[in-house]
Amino acid sequence: MQLQRMPADGTGKRGYYQPGGVIEARAESMEESVLSVAKGDVERTEALLKEEQVTKHELMRALSFLVASARQAVDVAECRGERLEAMSGQGDAGMHSTG
């Protein structure tokens, strides 16, 4: 059984797990949480952009959160892509470095 990569946890360390267990469910829960936060950050930033009296500081703060959540969402997308690749039987998905 091939190991699969978990999304980054913010420490810079990469985690791997075997499919089909409790840790897989935890990884999926982490992914859903990351995507939910990213969606919220997009919505907050869009709302700020519509405000007439928004300050530069407010926009910069919203953009910093948006950039961070976008990076995490990209990591989730890469993890999911690696799993799809592994499911289709291609390459050494889940074990190669993405950056």
Side-chain angles (χ1 to χ4, degrees), residues 19-62:
V22 173
I23 296 175
E24 179 180 25
R26 174 76 175 125
E28 288 176 8
S29 176
M30 287 172 55
E31 290 176 353
E32 291 303 318
S33 177
V34 164
L35 296 177
S36 178
V37 168
K39 182 180 177 186
D41 287 343
V42 167
E43 291 167 354
R44 278 188 293 282
T45 303
E46 285 178 327
L48 276 177
L49 290 171
K50 293 175 185 175
E51 289 185 20
E52 291 183 26
Q53 300 296 322
V54 66
T55 66
K56 179 180 177 181
H57 175 75
E58 290 170 321
L59 284 175
M60 294 298 289
R61 183 172 166 83

Side-chain angles (χ1 to χ4, degrees), residues 2-96:
Q2 192 155 17
L3 294 178
Q4 296 178 348
R5 184 170 65 87
M6 293 178 71
D9 64 0
T11 65
K13 298 177 184 175
R14 298 229 181 235
Y16 295 87
Y17 65 91
Q18 287 188 341
V22 173
I23 296 175
E24 179 180 25
R26 174 76 175 125
E28 288 176 8
S29 176
M30 287 172 55
E31 290 176 353
E32 291 303 318
S33 177
V34 164
L35 296 177
S36 178
V37 168
K39 182 180 177 186
D41 287 343
V42 167
E43 291 167 354
R44 278 188 293 282
T45 303
E46 285 178 327
L48 276 177
L49 290 171
K50 293 175 185 175
E51 289 185 20
E52 291 183 26
Q53 300 296 322
V54 66
T55 66
K56 179 180 177 181
H57 175 75
E58 290 170 321
L59 284 175
M60 294 298 289
R61 183 172 166 83
L63 286 173
S64 69
F65 280 103
L66 184 59
V67 167
S69 63
R71 281 191 179 123
Q72 292 176 329
V74 166
D75 190 41
V76 167
E78 288 173 346
C79 288
R80 289 180 174 186
E82 291 166 8
R83 286 198 301 269
L84 287 173
E85 188 177 300
M87 289 168 54
S88 68
Q90 300 174 3
D92 62 339
M95 294 300 295
H96 65 279

